[in-house]
Amino acid sequence: MSHRRAEEPTPRWLARAELPRLVAALRAHGHRVLGPVVHEGSLRFDDLPASGELPGGWRDEQGPGRYRVSRRAGEEEVFGVVNGAGSIKPFVFAPREPLLQIEMDARAGPGRPFRAEPIRPDAERIALLGVRACDLAALAVQDRIFLRDRFPDPSYAARRGRLFLVAVGCTRAAPTCFCASMDTGPRPHAGFDLALTELGSGGPGGTAGFVARAGSEAGAALLAALALDAAPAEALAGEEAGYQACAAGMQRALPRERLPGLLYDHLEHPRWDEVAERCLSCANCTLVCPTCFCHDVRDEPALDLQGSVRVRQWSSCFDVEHAQVHGLNFRPHIRERYRQWLVHKLASWIDQFGSSGCVGCGRCITWCPVGIDLTEEVAAIAATSPP
C-alpha cells in the first residue's frame, strides 16, 4: 500500500486502444491484474485476458430490487457498468479465513498445554482496475477499522499492503447511486494509485480514451513508464463536465447534515415497524455493503480432537443469532435488527469511527430482494420531523 500523493501530477492522456499497455505494465511490475468482468448477469472483479483488453459496450440497469446488464450495439465504453454486487472488500477482508492453528501437546493428559500458531495469508500483489470512488471511500472506512484501532488486523494488513488501485471516475450514475450527497464521489478524491476518467472523445482528432492521474509515487512511476502525452485541454474540460453532470443527475440523496441526530431522535418511530413488515432479514444489504464488517469467529475442531482451527467469516447484524448471548437475544425482531443496521450505519458509526458507514454506492437498494431503499426510509422519518 503506497498512496502518498505525488506532487501536482500532470494529467495524461491514455487512448482507449492503449489500455492493454497499462495492463501489461502492471503485470510487468509483478501484479495479478483484475478488472470488471461480466459474469452470470452481474459485474465482478476477475482476471483480465492475456491481451489486456476489456470488453466494451456493457451497460447496467439498476433500481430497487432490480439489476441487469446488457451489451449495447455500437457502444465501446469499457467502464460503462457502474458497479455490481461485489465491492473490493473481499480483497482485504476475506469472507472466510483461518486465523489460528491450535494443537494439543501429545505428551500431556487432561488439562494439558496446547500450542497456538497464527495463520497469516500469503497475499498476492494485486492490481484492481476500475475501482469506483465510492469503493475507495469504503476502503478508507475499512482501513480505519482494521488498521488504525488499538489492535491492527494482521491478515487485513497483509492483503491491503499488496494492492495497487486503479480508480475509474463515474460520469454516469445508476438510479440507486447517491455518492454525491455523501461527498464520496463521483470523482475519486484519494486513496488510489492511478485514476482514470473515460471519455468518448477529447483526445487528438476527437478520439476516445482516458484522462489519467497519478495518486501515489508508484502510480506516477507507472505513468512515467508509459510515456503518455499530457491530456488535451478539451479532455480536461470534458472530464469536469462529466463529473458535474453525473453528480447533478443522481436521483437519490441522504440529508447528511441532519444525520445522526435525526435517527437518534426517532428510535421509536412507527416507520421501523413498517419497514420490518417488508424486510426479509436476508442480510443481502450487509453482504453487498462495502463497509459492513460484522463477523463471527469460531473454533473448528479436528476429527481426532487433537487440534482445531480458529476461523473468521462474514456475518450480519440481520442474522438473529448475531444478537444471541447467554440465555438472551437482545434483537429478536426484524424491527430491532433493521433499526440497528440503519442507525449504526448512518449515526453511531460516526461516533465510533469519525465517519459515516455509508458511502452512497446504492448496492443495498439494488440487491434488496424487496427493494427497500434506505434513502426512502430516512426521508419518511425526516418528513415527520421539523428540520
Side-chain angles (χ1 to χ4, degrees):
M1 180 172 58
S2 176
H3 293 132
R4 187 157 64 88
R5 187 94 183 198
E7 292 184 1
E8 298 182 359
T10 300
R12 300 291 171 178
W13 178 256
L14 176 69
R16 185 178 286 163
E18 292 188 307
L19 190 59
R21 286 185 60 214
L22 172 60
V23 176
L26 289 167
R27 287 178 175 147
H29 281 73
H31 297 288
R32 177 186 171 195
V33 184
L34 287 77
V37 174
V38 174
H39 179 77
E40 295 184 345
S42 183
L43 196 76
R44 73 177 188 185
F45 284 99
D46 208 340
D47 290 290
L48 297 183
S51 64
E53 294 183 354
L54 280 78
W58 289 92
R59 279 292 180 99
D60 54 329
E61 299 175 24
Q62 300 194 41
R66 182 171 59 86
Y67 185 93
R68 180 184 180 187
V69 290
S70 58
R71 201 164 194 168
R72 297 190 176 185
E75 292 193 11
E76 298 180 352
E77 194 177 11
V78 175
F79 298 101
V81 178
V82 175
N83 59 30
S87 66
I88 62 175
K89 181 171 71 174
F91 295 100
V92 284
F93 174 32
R96 176 182 167 86
E97 65 178 325
L99 300 177
L100 194 66
Q101 178 71 50
I102 302 170
E103 299 288 348
M104 301 299 291
D105 187 332
R107 295 167 299 179
R112 59 200 182 188
F114 62 88
R115 178 174 57 85
E117 294 287 341
I119 301 173
R120 298 285 182 262
D122 184 15
E124 294 180 276
R125 296 188 68 185
I126 291 179
L128 293 175
L129 179 62
V131 180
R132 299 296 184 173
C134 54
D135 283 334
L136 288 175
L139 189 62
V141 172
Q142 296 268 312
D143 286 352
R144 165 66 184 83
I145 295 164
F146 285 100
L147 299 180
R148 300 190 188 113
D149 219 331
R150 185 177 177 186
F151 300 104
D153 187 280
S155 297
Y156 181 100
R159 295 189 179 93
R160 182 70 175 92
R162 305 281 280 177
L163 282 185
F164 186 98
L165 300 173
V166 181
V168 172
C170 294
T171 53
R172 183 183 74 86
T176 50
C177 293
F178 54 99
C179 65
S181 68
M182 302 308 291
D183 197 26
T184 58
R187 180 200 302 267
H189 294 294
F192 56 83
D193 293 291
L194 286 181
L196 306 177
T197 307
E198 185 169 17
L199 299 172
S201 63
T207 55
F210 306 87
V211 175
R213 285 184 166 81
S216 69
E217 292 181 353
L222 193 68
L223 274 189
L226 292 174
L228 302 174
D229 292 333
E234 181 183 350
L236 298 178
E239 178 187 45
E240 183 62 30
Y243 286 137
Q244 290 186 13
C246 181
M250 290 190 186
Q251 301 173 23
R252 285 174 166 77
L254 277 178
R256 188 160 50 96
E257 67 284 356
R258 294 189 66 186
L259 301 171
L262 177 68
L263 296 177
Y264 285 154
D265 290 343
H266 294 87
L267 295 177
E268 299 303 327
H269 197 281
R271 188 72 181 188
W272 303 118
D273 293 305
E274 296 173 24
V275 72
E277 292 180 358
R278 292 178 287 139
C279 176
L280 304 176
S281 197
C282 67
N284 260 17
C285 52
T286 58
L287 294 178
V288 299
C289 176
T291 66
C292 279
F293 61 93
C294 283
H295 56 268
D296 282 335
V297 177
R298 301 173 185 267
D299 287 336
E300 298 183 349
L303 289 176
D304 62 2
L305 301 181
Q306 295 304 300
S308 65
V309 177
R310 183 159 295 174
V311 174
R312 174 171 65 188
Q313 64 183 29
W314 289 4
S315 184
S316 170
C317 54
F318 278 92
D319 184 348
V320 66
E321 292 185 0
H322 198 70
Q324 184 71 38
V325 295
H326 182 67
L328 173 69
N329 191 302
F330 53 88
R331 286 194 289 267
H333 304 113
I334 292 177
R335 176 186 187 275
E336 288 93 16
R337 297 201 288 278
Y338 187 86
R339 182 179 61 184
Q340 151 65 22
W341 173 71
L342 196 68
V343 173
H344 186 215
K345 183 71 63 182
L346 301 180
S348 57
W349 198 299
I350 298 171
D351 301 332
Q352 191 175 7
F353 301 115
S355 66
S356 174
C358 178
V359 295
C361 69
R363 289 187 177 93
C364 61
I365 303 170
T366 297
W367 295 96
C368 173
V370 295
I372 293 174
D373 177 349
L374 83 170
T375 66
E376 183 180 301
E377 299 309 313
V378 171
I381 293 173
T384 62
S385 177

